[in-house]
Amino acid sequence: REQNQENRMNYTDIDASPTTQKHRTKTMKEQPTNHTGGPSLEQRFRQYLSAFDGKKKDFSKVEHLFDALFHKDFFETTNISQQQQSVSREQTKAVHAMYFAMGTRATLIHYRRIGLHTIDISYHLFNDQVDVLVRQLSSGMQNSIVRTQQVSCRKVALDDDGKQSFTINETECSALSYMKARFSVEY
């Protein structure tokens, strides 16, 4: 009976001394590891955006980044003249290829997770010919973007002196358009 009492743990006798490296390593080895299988969606987005470095390049050099970021079933919904239009993955790829060929530079303004699968993203694209400011809501799945809903876009054409010649496209950026986009993003 004495032996059973010795084997029982008395919580007041627990040693609270720091864990040694030997014990820490053993504990870490015993725990199962949960890896996501690669970079997160935010890492992929930042990596792709960083490819817009202002140097003219062929899209084939960065196509692997596009393919890693955008899901095979990706589509985008844009608002042009108060009407929503769907843009396919191939159409998006063609536009991005044009921007890379023009030597476009990109700056991330913000990347915010606003829901379980929804991200609020704003970025600035600019080169010698065009200046674009975009805000969109994106839904992600398996670390890739499946759907994007444009909240606002301001695209300005520049003349040879780098001055604004005229506005090509500007969509609304109001609380109503934001809420419509936020709640229409499908998971």
Side-chain angles (χ1 to χ4, degrees):
R1 186 162 191 206
E2 248 177 53
Q3 191 176 15
N4 283 343
Q5 285 181 347
E6 284 178 14
N7 289 339
R8 288 185 194 170
M9 183 169 270
N10 184 350
Y11 289 107
T12 59
D13 295 334
I14 293 177
D15 182 17
S17 62
T19 306
T20 64
Q21 182 62 34
K22 179 181 170 185
H23 289 95
R24 190 176 304 126
T25 304
K26 182 180 176 187
T27 304
M28 289 169 55
K29 286 180 182 175
E30 291 173 356
Q31 294 177 0
T33 54
N34 294 328
H35 294 288
T36 58
S40 69
L41 180 57
E42 181 175 2
Q43 290 168 330
R44 288 181 181 187
F45 183 81
R46 288 178 183 273
Q47 185 178 23
Y48 183 68
L49 211 60
S50 70
F52 288 95
D53 57 5
K55 297 176 186 167
K56 294 181 181 183
K57 59 182 83 167
D58 187 53
F59 188 73
S60 62
K61 303 242 187 257
V62 293
E63 189 168 11
H64 66 284
L65 296 173
F66 181 92
D67 291 339
L69 179 62
F70 295 98
H71 193 271
K72 64 181 178 68
D73 297 326
F74 169 81
F75 71 97
E76 180 177 9
T77 305
T78 60
N79 298 315
I80 298 176
S81 302
Q82 302 296 328
Q83 293 196 355
Q84 289 191 347
Q85 292 182 337
S86 286
V87 179
S88 71
R89 184 177 192 269
E90 293 306 313
Q91 291 169 317
T92 301
K93 188 182 275 194
V95 170
H96 289 207
M98 178 190 67
Y99 283 140
F100 277 111
M102 294 167 63
T104 302
R105 182 175 296 275
T107 305
L108 181 64
I109 297 169
H110 73 254
Y111 183 103
R112 295 183 191 122
R113 183 170 293 279
I114 59 170
L116 185 59
H117 299 285
T118 308
I119 303 122
D120 182 358
I121 303 171
S122 183
Y123 56 91
H124 183 208
L125 299 172
F126 55 96
N127 57 44
D128 293 338
Q129 301 164 6
V130 71
D131 187 322
V132 183
L133 185 62
V134 177
R135 184 171 181 205
Q136 58 195 22
L137 296 179
S138 298
S139 60
M141 180 175 71
Q142 301 169 347
N143 290 334
S144 60
I145 297 174
V146 178
R147 178 168 184 249
T148 297
Q149 170 69 50
Q150 186 180 79
V151 176
S152 66
C153 178
R154 190 184 121 252
K155 187 173 181 180
V156 177
L158 305 174
D159 61 17
D160 293 335
D161 298 329
K163 296 179 182 176
Q164 178 179 343
S165 57
F166 60 95
T167 300
I168 296 174
N169 181 15
E170 190 163 352
T171 59
E172 62 183 67
C173 182
S174 65
L176 179 59
S177 67
Y178 178 81
M179 294 306 284
K180 280 165 109 175
R182 168 100 194 263
F183 292 108
S184 68
V185 173
E186 296 173 7
Y187 302 110

